Amino acid sequence: MESNQSGSLKLADHLTLCLMVCSTFLYRMFILPRFAGWEESDYGNLAMVRGVFDSGFSHFDMNHMPGYYALGALALFITDNTEVAAKAAALVPNMIAVFGGLWIGKKHLGTLWTLVLWFCLTFQPELALYSTSALREPSYAAWLILFLVCLNRKSYFLGGLCVALAFTVRFEAPLVLGLVFLWAIWFVSKEEFLKLVSPLIATIAIWMIYCQMEHGTWQFWGHAAAVNVETGLGAENSGAKWGGAGLKIAFQLMTEVLPWRMGLGFWLCTFPGLFIGLRNESLRWLTLTALGSLGVWLGIAAIAQHEVGHNLYWKWMYPVVFLLSFSAVLGLKTLVRPLPKPIQICVMVAIITQAGWGFQKETVRQMSRSQELYAPQVSLAIWIEDNIPEGEAIILDNIPACYINRYPNEHQLISWFDVPTHGEGEFADYLLSHEVSHVLWFEETWTQAPLVAPFLQSQQVWQSKGVTLTLLEEDNAYGWRWFKVSYP
């Protein structure tokens, strides 16, 4: 195996890695204005980043952990644009993770195969798209990769700090690294092991104390775990049936979603790559982390049991694909090495071409999906900012409300969760008493709008007690209707 394990990389190697990362950055910048987000969470994160900044870094949402939001809020010291700050808190860590991943690749794979790894890390759809949106996963993956870089350099305390920071972004980090810690117990010194785990233990304790003081519970994982179980399909089953359904979902993710997202050839090469990585002492840390990440992803799926096409799995898959990409390239290199040179080239070209075709198709699909479902809601929010005076009450939720709250403002935004009405007459009274000027109605039940005002689902004009709602705009793709309110 071509390697540079015995020493540091040369200056030329670092310059090569920097050129690769710069090209990845340019591709991200090409995508950024064309991708309108993964889901509602992207826009909720804008409001949460602004909330952390406005609270003076004293209030953090327990369910989402503080790491990403603190990083985004820190960026607000540089720019007052919350959208830029929140996306920078994903894009910059992704660039760091790509550099770290390629650095490890250069040490253990050689230049040619590092280029193949660069191809995977640059163009894989989730790694590319979610790094240009306001999501936590890129910063989480960055801390995991930096952890592995530190272990490559035998910097156990710095590695432990990276683990602690990964935990502050996603609380399953200790589970992901469970295999690493078990291995470390037996194969590093007691002093090195304590350096590795002590920052994480201290961080968990601090976060539990904060949650007890701020949210009244030390079980910071409780609500988030319960929500995934309650909203998943698994809530309909019990016992052996529930377990079987969970295993089926996990199997489908492993055999359908992963090869679809990684490319079939790379996916097949992942298995020998993992086996080889476990046998190679210098690659064992990375391989155990990849296996832990894969196991937790599949485990969450087996418990929550959302349908296999649910886009939550795409987001949770982000660090999995990042780590498995290395194993895939390692496996490919090992498998083709005994072959004659012309056949090696043909196999490489075939696998990269097939993966590239899949990457392009899925990237375009998700970009189109974001433009169809989420971009119109952003446009509506911008229209509201430009045309409705601050101070007017609006029943507004979801992406438009979160986007408007990316800046401090005086808009009176009323959530459907706060509209305590039953029936058309009471709804009219509520609008009148609060002097609501506009109403945004959603057809999704979880928004509460169909439960509070089902009568707005199809009418162009609705009237009750002299209050009139006139439809201004509707979007059938996502399912929302925008009304103007007038009074007698």
PDB file of all heavy atoms in Angstrom, residues 252-264 267 294 297-298 317 320-321 324:
ATOM      1  N   GLN A 252     -33.051  -2.113   4.229  1.00  0.00           N
ATOM      2  CA  GLN A 252     -33.328  -1.353   3.012  1.00  0.00           C
ATOM      3  C   GLN A 252     -32.403  -0.146   2.886  1.00  0.00           C
ATOM      4  O   GLN A 252     -31.946   0.175   1.788  1.00  0.00           O
ATOM      5  CB  GLN A 252     -34.787  -0.890   3.010  1.00  0.00           C
ATOM      6  CG  GLN A 252     -35.780  -2.004   2.747  1.00  0.00           C
ATOM      7  CD  GLN A 252     -37.213  -1.503   2.785  1.00  0.00           C
ATOM      8  OE1 GLN A 252     -37.686  -0.975   3.790  1.00  0.00           O
ATOM      9  NE2 GLN A 252     -37.909  -1.667   1.679  1.00  0.00           N
ATOM     10  N   LEU A 253     -32.125   0.509   3.996  1.00  0.00           N
ATOM     11  CA  LEU A 253     -31.189   1.629   3.957  1.00  0.00           C
ATOM     12  C   LEU A 253     -29.808   1.163   3.520  1.00  0.00           C
ATOM     13  O   LEU A 253     -29.128   1.828   2.730  1.00  0.00           O
ATOM     14  CB  LEU A 253     -31.102   2.303   5.328  1.00  0.00           C
ATOM     15  CG  LEU A 253     -32.327   3.094   5.787  1.00  0.00           C
ATOM     16  CD1 LEU A 253     -32.096   3.635   7.191  1.00  0.00           C
ATOM     17  CD2 LEU A 253     -32.637   4.243   4.839  1.00  0.00           C
ATOM     18  N   MET A 254     -29.413   0.011   4.034  1.00  0.00           N
ATOM     19  CA  MET A 254     -28.079  -0.513   3.735  1.00  0.00           C
ATOM     20  C   MET A 254     -27.966  -0.984   2.295  1.00  0.00           C
ATOM     21  O   MET A 254     -26.917  -0.797   1.655  1.00  0.00           O
ATOM     22  CB  MET A 254     -27.771  -1.674   4.689  1.00  0.00           C
ATOM     23  CG  MET A 254     -26.356  -2.190   4.604  1.00  0.00           C
ATOM     24  SD  MET A 254     -25.183  -0.978   5.259  1.00  0.00           S
ATOM     25  CE  MET A 254     -23.636  -1.747   4.812  1.00  0.00           C
ATOM     26  N   THR A 255     -29.021  -1.564   1.762  1.00  0.00           N
ATOM     27  CA  THR A 255     -28.939  -2.195   0.446  1.00  0.00           C
ATOM     28  C   THR A 255     -29.585  -1.384  -0.674  1.00  0.00           C
ATOM     29  O   THR A 255     -29.408  -1.731  -1.853  1.00  0.00           O
ATOM     30  CB  THR A 255     -29.593  -3.585   0.491  1.00  0.00           C
ATOM     31  OG1 THR A 255     -30.977  -3.447   0.885  1.00  0.00           O
ATOM     32  CG2 THR A 255     -28.872  -4.487   1.472  1.00  0.00           C
ATOM     33  N   GLU A 256     -30.327  -0.348  -0.327  1.00  0.00           N
ATOM     34  CA  GLU A 256     -30.972   0.479  -1.346  1.00  0.00           C
ATOM     35  C   GLU A 256     -30.463   1.913  -1.322  1.00  0.00           C
ATOM     36  O   GLU A 256     -29.976   2.430  -2.338  1.00  0.00           O
ATOM     37  CB  GLU A 256     -32.488   0.461  -1.171  1.00  0.00           C
ATOM     38  CG  GLU A 256     -33.127  -0.904  -1.379  1.00  0.00           C
ATOM     39  CD  GLU A 256     -34.617  -0.905  -1.110  1.00  0.00           C
ATOM     40  OE1 GLU A 256     -35.231   0.185  -1.108  1.00  0.00           O
ATOM     41  OE2 GLU A 256     -35.182  -1.995  -0.881  1.00  0.00           O
ATOM     42  N   VAL A 257     -30.563   2.558  -0.164  1.00  0.00           N
ATOM     43  CA  VAL A 257     -30.221   3.982  -0.084  1.00  0.00           C
ATOM     44  C   VAL A 257     -28.714   4.199  -0.205  1.00  0.00           C
ATOM     45  O   VAL A 257     -28.262   5.060  -0.967  1.00  0.00           O
ATOM     46  CB  VAL A 257     -30.752   4.599   1.229  1.00  0.00           C
ATOM     47  CG1 VAL A 257     -30.285   6.045   1.357  1.00  0.00           C
ATOM     48  CG2 VAL A 257     -32.273   4.529   1.257  1.00  0.00           C
ATOM     49  N   LEU A 258     -27.912   3.426   0.527  1.00  0.00           N
ATOM     50  CA  LEU A 258     -26.459   3.622   0.480  1.00  0.00           C
ATOM     51  C   LEU A 258     -25.868   3.399  -0.917  1.00  0.00           C
ATOM     52  O   LEU A 258     -25.108   4.248  -1.399  1.00  0.00           O
ATOM     53  CB  LEU A 258     -25.766   2.721   1.503  1.00  0.00           C
ATOM     54  CG  LEU A 258     -25.426   3.349   2.856  1.00  0.00           C
ATOM     55  CD1 LEU A 258     -24.630   2.367   3.701  1.00  0.00           C
ATOM     56  CD2 LEU A 258     -24.662   4.645   2.706  1.00  0.00           C
ATOM     57  N   PRO A 259     -26.178   2.283  -1.598  1.00  0.00           N
ATOM     58  CA  PRO A 259     -25.618   2.138  -2.947  1.00  0.00           C
ATOM     59  C   PRO A 259     -26.126   3.198  -3.907  1.00  0.00           C
ATOM     60  O   PRO A 259     -25.409   3.606  -4.826  1.00  0.00           O
ATOM     61  CB  PRO A 259     -26.069   0.735  -3.370  1.00  0.00           C
ATOM     62  CG  PRO A 259     -27.155   0.350  -2.428  1.00  0.00           C
ATOM     63  CD  PRO A 259     -26.889   1.067  -1.160  1.00  0.00           C
ATOM     64  N   TRP A 260     -27.357   3.649  -3.709  1.00  0.00           N
ATOM     65  CA  TRP A 260     -27.906   4.720  -4.535  1.00  0.00           C
ATOM     66  C   TRP A 260     -27.108   6.000  -4.345  1.00  0.00           C
ATOM     67  O   TRP A 260     -26.767   6.699  -5.297  1.00  0.00           O
ATOM     68  CB  TRP A 260     -29.380   4.895  -4.159  1.00  0.00           C
ATOM     69  CG  TRP A 260     -30.096   6.066  -4.757  1.00  0.00           C
ATOM     70  CD1 TRP A 260     -29.719   6.840  -5.812  1.00  0.00           C
ATOM     71  CD2 TRP A 260     -31.348   6.593  -4.316  1.00  0.00           C
ATOM     72  NE1 TRP A 260     -30.642   7.824  -6.058  1.00  0.00           N
ATOM     73  CE2 TRP A 260     -31.650   7.696  -5.157  1.00  0.00           C
ATOM     74  CE3 TRP A 260     -32.239   6.245  -3.301  1.00  0.00           C
ATOM     75  CZ2 TRP A 260     -32.813   8.441  -5.002  1.00  0.00           C
ATOM     76  CZ3 TRP A 260     -33.392   6.992  -3.156  1.00  0.00           C
ATOM     77  CH2 TRP A 260     -33.673   8.064  -3.994  1.00  0.00           C
ATOM     78  N   ARG A 261     -26.753   6.314  -3.086  1.00  0.00           N
ATOM     79  CA  ARG A 261     -26.087   7.581  -2.798  1.00  0.00           C
ATOM     80  C   ARG A 261     -24.577   7.524  -2.997  1.00  0.00           C
ATOM     81  O   ARG A 261     -23.958   8.523  -3.345  1.00  0.00           O
ATOM     82  CB  ARG A 261     -26.390   8.004  -1.360  1.00  0.00           C
ATOM     83  CG  ARG A 261     -27.840   8.352  -1.103  1.00  0.00           C
ATOM     84  CD  ARG A 261     -28.301   9.462  -2.057  1.00  0.00           C
ATOM     85  NE  ARG A 261     -29.300  10.286  -1.429  1.00  0.00           N
ATOM     86  CZ  ARG A 261     -30.602  10.044  -1.443  1.00  0.00           C
ATOM     87  NH1 ARG A 261     -31.046   8.994  -2.114  1.00  0.00           N
ATOM     88  NH2 ARG A 261     -31.453  10.836  -0.833  1.00  0.00           N
ATOM     89  N   MET A 262     -23.972   6.361  -2.758  1.00  0.00           N
ATOM     90  CA  MET A 262     -22.516   6.237  -2.893  1.00  0.00           C
ATOM     91  C   MET A 262     -22.081   5.845  -4.292  1.00  0.00           C
ATOM     92  O   MET A 262     -20.931   6.083  -4.682  1.00  0.00           O
ATOM     93  CB  MET A 262     -21.981   5.201  -1.904  1.00  0.00           C
ATOM     94  CG  MET A 262     -22.099   5.573  -0.449  1.00  0.00           C
ATOM     95  SD  MET A 262     -21.387   4.304   0.630  1.00  0.00           S
ATOM     96  CE  MET A 262     -19.650   4.428   0.180  1.00  0.00           C
ATOM     97  N   GLY A 263     -22.983   5.256  -5.062  1.00  0.00           N
ATOM     98  CA  GLY A 263     -22.607   4.609  -6.306  1.00  0.00           C
ATOM     99  C   GLY A 263     -22.421   3.127  -6.033  1.00  0.00           C
ATOM    100  O   GLY A 263     -21.779   2.749  -5.039  1.00  0.00           O
ATOM    101  N   LEU A 264     -22.981   2.291  -6.886  1.00  0.00           N
ATOM    102  CA  LEU A 264     -22.982   0.851  -6.615  1.00  0.00           C
ATOM    103  C   LEU A 264     -21.572   0.293  -6.484  1.00  0.00           C
ATOM    104  O   LEU A 264     -21.280  -0.502  -5.591  1.00  0.00           O
ATOM    105  CB  LEU A 264     -23.739   0.116  -7.737  1.00  0.00           C
ATOM    106  CG  LEU A 264     -23.823  -1.403  -7.594  1.00  0.00           C
ATOM    107  CD1 LEU A 264     -24.537  -1.783  -6.310  1.00  0.00           C
ATOM    108  CD2 LEU A 264     -24.540  -2.007  -8.810  1.00  0.00           C
ATOM    109  N   TRP A 267     -20.001   1.374  -3.241  1.00  0.00           N
ATOM    110  CA  TRP A 267     -20.679   0.685  -2.135  1.00  0.00           C
ATOM    111  C   TRP A 267     -20.153  -0.739  -1.990  1.00  0.00           C
ATOM    112  O   TRP A 267     -19.876  -1.192  -0.876  1.00  0.00           O
ATOM    113  CB  TRP A 267     -22.180   0.682  -2.388  1.00  0.00           C
ATOM    114  CG  TRP A 267     -22.985  -0.067  -1.364  1.00  0.00           C
ATOM    115  CD1 TRP A 267     -23.293   0.326  -0.092  1.00  0.00           C
ATOM    116  CD2 TRP A 267     -23.593  -1.357  -1.539  1.00  0.00           C
ATOM    117  NE1 TRP A 267     -24.047  -0.631   0.546  1.00  0.00           N
ATOM    118  CE2 TRP A 267     -24.253  -1.675  -0.324  1.00  0.00           C
ATOM    119  CE3 TRP A 267     -23.656  -2.260  -2.595  1.00  0.00           C
ATOM    120  CZ2 TRP A 267     -24.963  -2.868  -0.154  1.00  0.00           C
ATOM    121  CZ3 TRP A 267     -24.359  -3.448  -2.424  1.00  0.00           C
ATOM    122  CH2 TRP A 267     -25.002  -3.736  -1.208  1.00  0.00           C
ATOM    123  N   LEU A 294     -22.043   4.095  10.955  1.00  0.00           N
ATOM    124  CA  LEU A 294     -22.992   3.285  10.192  1.00  0.00           C
ATOM    125  C   LEU A 294     -23.957   2.565  11.124  1.00  0.00           C
ATOM    126  O   LEU A 294     -25.174   2.537  10.886  1.00  0.00           O
ATOM    127  CB  LEU A 294     -22.231   2.277   9.327  1.00  0.00           C
ATOM    128  CG  LEU A 294     -23.065   1.281   8.524  1.00  0.00           C
ATOM    129  CD1 LEU A 294     -23.916   1.997   7.486  1.00  0.00           C
ATOM    130  CD2 LEU A 294     -22.159   0.241   7.849  1.00  0.00           C
ATOM    131  N   TRP A 297     -26.498   4.993  12.667  1.00  0.00           N
ATOM    132  CA  TRP A 297     -27.473   5.397  11.647  1.00  0.00           C
ATOM    133  C   TRP A 297     -28.531   4.316  11.433  1.00  0.00           C
ATOM    134  O   TRP A 297     -29.739   4.587  11.452  1.00  0.00           O
ATOM    135  CB  TRP A 297     -26.733   5.698  10.343  1.00  0.00           C
ATOM    136  CG  TRP A 297     -27.604   6.134   9.197  1.00  0.00           C
ATOM    137  CD1 TRP A 297     -28.467   7.191   9.176  1.00  0.00           C
ATOM    138  CD2 TRP A 297     -27.697   5.512   7.908  1.00  0.00           C
ATOM    139  NE1 TRP A 297     -29.079   7.274   7.937  1.00  0.00           N
ATOM    140  CE2 TRP A 297     -28.622   6.261   7.145  1.00  0.00           C
ATOM    141  CE3 TRP A 297     -27.065   4.418   7.329  1.00  0.00           C
ATOM    142  CZ2 TRP A 297     -28.935   5.929   5.829  1.00  0.00           C
ATOM    143  CZ3 TRP A 297     -27.375   4.091   6.012  1.00  0.00           C
ATOM    144  CH2 TRP A 297     -28.302   4.834   5.274  1.00  0.00           C
ATOM    145  N   LEU A 298     -28.073   3.087  11.263  1.00  0.00           N
ATOM    146  CA  LEU A 298     -29.009   1.984  11.065  1.00  0.00           C
ATOM    147  C   LEU A 298     -29.810   1.705  12.335  1.00  0.00           C
ATOM    148  O   LEU A 298     -30.995   1.344  12.267  1.00  0.00           O
ATOM    149  CB  LEU A 298     -28.251   0.725  10.632  1.00  0.00           C
ATOM    150  CG  LEU A 298     -27.521   0.810   9.287  1.00  0.00           C
ATOM    151  CD1 LEU A 298     -26.754  -0.485   9.016  1.00  0.00           C
ATOM    152  CD2 LEU A 298     -28.484   1.105   8.145  1.00  0.00           C
ATOM    153  N   MET A 317     -27.408  10.500   7.346  1.00  0.00           N
ATOM    154  CA  MET A 317     -26.428   9.714   6.602  1.00  0.00           C
ATOM    155  C   MET A 317     -25.152  10.510   6.313  1.00  0.00           C
ATOM    156  O   MET A 317     -24.125   9.925   5.951  1.00  0.00           O
ATOM    157  CB  MET A 317     -27.070   9.254   5.284  1.00  0.00           C
ATOM    158  CG  MET A 317     -26.243   8.350   4.420  1.00  0.00           C
ATOM    159  SD  MET A 317     -27.156   7.833   2.930  1.00  0.00           S
ATOM    160  CE  MET A 317     -27.388   9.424   2.127  1.00  0.00           C
ATOM    161  N   VAL A 320     -21.958   9.332   7.802  1.00  0.00           N
ATOM    162  CA  VAL A 320     -21.755   7.937   7.406  1.00  0.00           C
ATOM    163  C   VAL A 320     -21.086   7.879   6.039  1.00  0.00           C
ATOM    164  O   VAL A 320     -20.076   7.185   5.839  1.00  0.00           O
ATOM    165  CB  VAL A 320     -23.108   7.183   7.372  1.00  0.00           C
ATOM    166  CG1 VAL A 320     -22.906   5.740   6.923  1.00  0.00           C
ATOM    167  CG2 VAL A 320     -23.783   7.229   8.738  1.00  0.00           C
ATOM    168  N   VAL A 321     -21.640   8.615   5.075  1.00  0.00           N
ATOM    169  CA  VAL A 321     -21.090   8.618   3.722  1.00  0.00           C
ATOM    170  C   VAL A 321     -19.681   9.201   3.708  1.00  0.00           C
ATOM    171  O   VAL A 321     -18.793   8.705   3.000  1.00  0.00           O
ATOM    172  CB  VAL A 321     -22.010   9.399   2.767  1.00  0.00           C
ATOM    173  CG1 VAL A 321     -21.365   9.565   1.403  1.00  0.00           C
ATOM    174  CG2 VAL A 321     -23.345   8.678   2.623  1.00  0.00           C
ATOM    175  N   LEU A 324     -17.428   6.417   5.156  1.00  0.00           N
ATOM    176  CA  LEU A 324     -17.385   5.219   4.324  1.00  0.00           C
ATOM    177  C   LEU A 324     -16.709   5.470   2.978  1.00  0.00           C
ATOM    178  O   LEU A 324     -16.230   4.520   2.339  1.00  0.00           O
ATOM    179  CB  LEU A 324     -18.798   4.680   4.090  1.00  0.00           C
ATOM    180  CG  LEU A 324     -19.499   4.032   5.285  1.00  0.00           C
ATOM    181  CD1 LEU A 324     -20.852   3.491   4.858  1.00  0.00           C
ATOM    182  CD2 LEU A 324     -18.651   2.911   5.894  1.00  0.00           C
TER     183      LEU A 324
END
